[in-house]
Amino acid sequence: MHGDFAPWNIKLDDSGKVNLLDWENCSIKAVGGWDWLHCLIQSALLVKKLNAYDALLEAREWAKSKRGAKHLAMFGWNDEIELWIGSYLVFTHYVLKIERNELLNNWALNHNG
């Protein structure tokens, strides 16, 4: 797991090779699928300037897409979209100390699980 997988940490070189930067939060023993959710959430909040509700809605919609469903299945989440989101939010807030109060509150009020 990269740990801070976000568009600003992904660069293409002149040959089109993908390079990932900012590896201080990487881990070999990590939960598969959280990196992509981090990328979705960070992009929604910091680039698109979405509120917590819309950022989570965008993540849910991606997870329900053909590409998203395939990705989640590959990491064993399958249809457990809310578990995927909720576990990521709890871990990043309480363990990594990334402020997620608004996202956590919104998730708790609006998830269907």
Side-chain angles (χ1 to χ4, degrees), residues 74-92:
M74 182 173 60
F75 288 106
W77 292 103
N78 301 311
D79 294 330
E80 297 293 339
I81 295 169
E82 295 306 321
L83 181 59
W84 174 61
I85 294 172
S87 60
Y88 159 81
L89 292 175
V90 168
F91 181 82
T92 56

Side-chain angles (χ1 to χ4, degrees), residues 6-17:
W8 44 90
N9 288 333
I10 305 166
K11 304 294 180 199
L12 295 177
D13 65 18
D14 291 339
S15 69
K17 180 181 174 187

Side-chain angles (χ1 to χ4, degrees), residues 59-80:
R60 287 179 178 110
E61 288 174 354
W62 178 84
K64 292 175 185 175
S65 72
K66 185 175 181 179
R67 182 177 179 194
K70 182 177 178 183
H71 184 83
L72 291 180
M74 182 173 60
F75 288 106
W77 292 103
N78 301 311
D79 294 330
E80 297 293 339

